Amino acid sequence: MTRFTVIVPFHTDADTIADTLTSIRTQSFTNWEVICVGDRPSSACLSVVLDHIAQDHRIRVASSPFDGPSAARNYGAELAKGDILAFCDADDLWHKDKLAQLDEAFQPSLTDAVFGQIRFFTDQPGDSQTRSTVPSATLTIQDLLAENPVCTMSNLSIRREVFNAVGGLDTRTVHNEDLELLIRLAGEGFTIEGVNQFQVWYRTSARGLSSDLAAMRAGRAYAVKTAASYGVFPSRSSEAIYQRYLARRALRLGHQSQALFYTRNGLSLHARSFLLPLRRGLLTVAGAALAPILPQAIKRALFS
């Protein structure tokens, strides 16, 4: 029986998907399959995928009948043979022991979904020291409305039957689709557990989806509506933490006025939540105040 099905949606990622697939093929845990799901892919990107298929029989390709990365992931889940679905975007990289760590994390039968620690990079792994924080407790909807510690679909693995039970990803969402799915998982009583081990290199880019702040806010608003359907609404504290997240994104992108706007909003909503932990809160306040004189390279490194 296949343990993991890794689903990789791809579009025009010819410059990055080779490294992504290599990071999966070199996993220390070997009982897996990869389904690369084309979402109107470029011929160059498809050529890279086919080259890897020729080298490793565990990789196969499929063409999504619908548009969008969420639909592509759902289609991959329909074709999956593995007990557990693990998602990876075509520009991110996995640590070689990610699947081994996940295999252990899923041993408790009550664990439904798992995520780990991610580290950010722009061009080469290690060019930023920023990393995510992994909470020790099972995630709640209120946690997710503050700052989503999963961060990216590349950091989410879920039992196949659980993914199907909640209806998969909402194909109407492009931004924050992972957040909306996680809220439904928590709302339906499924457990989302963090593993405090490094698992994913997450590529940041000024051209990436996570760099469109307006679209990110719209996606989060959609997820907030999902939370409301479970009777959960953002607290002032969670809103303040989300404003800090937006401020840090704005700083990385060089949007100085927006960073200051989000910082002021967050402090007015709940100053303590915005400022703590101090390594994030105070650094964000200082960055917003000093943004006009900070070199862009430093802002990208500090606020990924």
Side-chain angles (χ1 to χ4, degrees):
M1 184 70 177
T2 303
R3 180 63 164 160
F4 292 98
T5 293
V6 184
I7 299 172
V8 182
F10 67 101
H11 179 48
T12 56
D13 313 281
D15 293 339
T16 59
I17 195 170
D19 289 340
T20 298
L21 292 176
T22 297
S23 76
I24 298 170
R25 290 176 58 198
T26 54
Q27 288 291 300
S28 59
F29 185 90
T30 59
N31 184 8
W32 52 261
E33 65 169 355
V34 171
I35 304 177
C36 297
V37 186
D39 173 25
R40 296 173 290 112
S42 66
S43 57
C45 194
L46 179 59
S47 177
V48 174
V49 170
L50 293 176
D51 180 60
H52 278 264
I53 290 174
Q55 300 175 57
D56 198 319
H57 69 278
R58 294 171 295 179
I59 304 174
R60 52 192 169 119
V61 67
S63 179
S64 175
F66 306 104
D67 289 343
S70 292
R73 295 184 184 105
N74 287 346
Y75 187 59
E78 292 179 21
L79 304 175
K81 299 176 182 176
D83 295 327
I84 298 166
L85 306 178
F87 299 93
C88 188
D89 290 344
D91 57 352
D92 294 333
L93 306 172
W94 280 2
H95 185 276
K96 66 180 179 63
D97 294 325
K98 174 181 167 71
L99 290 181
Q101 293 167 6
L102 290 176
D103 180 57
E104 182 177 349
F106 275 105
Q107 293 300 332
S109 59
L110 295 179
T111 301
D112 298 308
V114 173
F115 66 99
Q117 182 195 89
I118 70 172
R119 299 183 186 180
F120 300 85
F121 76 105
T122 302
D123 298 312
Q124 296 293 327
D127 63 13
S128 170
Q129 298 304 308
T130 308
R131 63 186 67 186
S132 66
T133 300
V134 180
S136 58
T138 299
L139 291 187
T140 67
I141 294 179
Q142 198 62 250
D143 295 332
L144 292 163
L145 291 176
E147 191 168 35
N148 176 9
V150 181
C151 299
T152 170
M153 285 298 296
S154 296
N155 193 31
L156 179 61
S157 300
I158 179 172
R159 294 188 189 276
R160 178 157 53 101
E161 66 268 22
V162 172
F163 185 81
N164 292 332
V166 298
L169 288 154
D170 189 326
T171 58
R172 293 168 292 185
T173 61
V174 176
H175 299 265
N176 283 305
E177 70 275 19
D178 56 327
L179 174 61
E180 199 276 338
L181 171 62
L182 290 163
I183 287 172
R184 280 187 282 124
L185 287 170
E188 296 297 327
F190 294 110
T191 58
I192 310 166
E193 304 287 352
V195 175
N196 197 19
Q197 295 174 292
F198 167 46
Q199 294 189 349
V200 178
W201 285 111
Y202 176 63
R203 189 186 303 269
T204 62
S205 168
R207 298 170 296 173
L209 292 177
S210 62
S211 299
D212 188 337
L213 296 180
M216 287 184 67
R217 292 197 307 272
R220 199 250 185 179
Y222 189 88
V224 167
K225 290 182 179 179
T226 298
S229 71
Y230 294 103
V232 181
F233 302 88
S235 65
R236 290 180 69 86
S237 174
S238 61
E239 279 295 317
I241 294 171
Y242 182 66
Q243 292 294 311
R244 184 182 68 199
Y245 169 78
L246 291 175
R248 293 173 68 85
R249 286 286 182 180
L251 284 167
R252 181 177 68 82
L253 297 169
H255 300 332
Q256 299 165 10
S257 61
Q258 290 186 55
L260 193 57
F261 173 79
Y262 295 132
T263 297
R264 287 171 174 168
N265 272 0
L267 290 171
S268 66
L269 283 165
H270 201 282
R272 179 179 176 83
S273 295
F274 187 96
L275 292 171
L276 296 178
L278 294 178
R279 64 180 178 81
R280 294 178 69 80
L282 280 182
L283 186 63
T284 304
V285 171
L290 300 174
I293 62 173
L294 283 177
Q296 185 60 26
I298 292 179
K299 285 184 283 189
R300 286 179 178 171
L302 291 176
F303 303 106
S304 293

